[in-house]
Amino acid sequence: MIVTQRIRGLFWLVVMTQLLVVSLVYWGHFLVMGSFYTDLAMPERYILYNLLMLGGIVLEAIYRYDRNPGLINRPLAQLHLVSLRQTIAAAVPVFFGLVAAKDPVISRVFLFTAPIPLYATFLFANYQVSRWIARATFRETQTEKVLLVGSRFKAQKMRSWLERKKLLGLVPIGLLTNEENGPQMDWPVLGGTEDLESVVKKHQIRQVILVEFPAVTDFLYTMISLCENLGVRLVVVSDLDETFRHTVLYSEDDGVSFFSMREEQLENPINRGIKRTVDILVALFVVVVILPPMMLLVWLFQRLQSPGPLFFRQTRAGMENRPFEIIKFRTMHVKNPNAASQATLNDPRVFLAGRLLRRYSIDELPQ
């Protein structure tokens, strides 16, 4: 898809720009620090650390490229996290290089103050430079005139998406629809679906977006054939999520394509091993450090307001509907007629301190 390719191309243009600017900032910082400290000798050693820094930036970019390469129109808070991650990725190889080489010459003051201007550089590049590069790259000669085809309602739902893609050169021209009534449109209605050929030629359309998967496949075949003959791109908005009333994931394996309802990350044995390791480490920390004082505090609350066992045990259904037993701090009185039913607001079965434990999910700490 053209948008995907433009986003990925823009991503690497921004990364390459960052590599250049980061090197300039790095050496600018070197010159500034050199005016205050006379021990910034042997600049060839600093070249090595500059290369390590650039290597860390490239590795972080490769990791992010397959996940979320888009920078345009992302909230500033998200760009802050991206910039922070890039700064860490640039600093970690330098730190390990420093430790591995046991370098006595390099200035620690220089290295440990460098991340500050680096972070500012990353944030500025991710927020502003990416926009400049997009405008310069997808200027007027690279714009894509877009024609929407289909339901008025579905077309209007595309408004915010198209607005976010303006910097990538997508310019909506109008809509073709057979509906006479519907929501107010942001673009003119240029005719019905039968007018596709004449409208494409008149307005020099370069991309047609079918805003919903057609119920009649013959119509789709006609659209594909017509767009191929006219030399324009045809893309179809997937509405499988609405059809299935569930998030749908696409995957391909050994030449066979699938739609599924869930992404099974834990079926990867490496992911499962990492999760199990983290579970054990976190659980050990909680059991040794946090749980003992919390048990004492909850026990005191229970002694004062509702004497009885410290823990509440209940059988639940887990993965593949297998039963397992959960352990929670008891927050209800011992003698109540319906202990298994879900608690409600101001439930009389819950003692006063138990409401506080539930509000802050402290009762779930043992599990």
Side-chain angles (χ1 to χ4, degrees), residues 294 297-298 301 305 329-332 346-347 350-364:
M294 290 304 303
L297 181 64
V298 173
F301 281 144
Q305 297 183 5
F329 286 132
R330 182 176 58 85
T331 58
M332 291 186 179
N346 299 322
D347 196 315
V350 181
F351 56 88
L352 185 60
R355 294 176 186 174
L356 184 67
L357 298 177
R358 283 175 172 269
R359 178 180 300 175
Y360 297 102
S361 299
I362 299 173
D363 63 319
E364 298 180 357

Side-chain angles (χ1 to χ4, degrees), residues 2 14 29-30 37 64 82 93 96 108 119 132 152 162 177 202 206 218 228 268 291 301-302 304 339 351 366-367:
I2 179 174
V14 173
H29 184 60
F30 176 84
Y37 297 93
R64 184 159 40 97
V82 171
F96 279 106
R108 270 56 172 175
Y119 166 76
W132 292 342
R152 287 172 176 261
L162 287 166
T177 180
K202 178 181 179 181
R206 298 181 64 180
D218 288 345
E228 288 290 329
N268 183 325
L291 195 58
F301 281 144
Q302 291 176 345
L304 294 174
F351 56 88
Q367 65 178 309

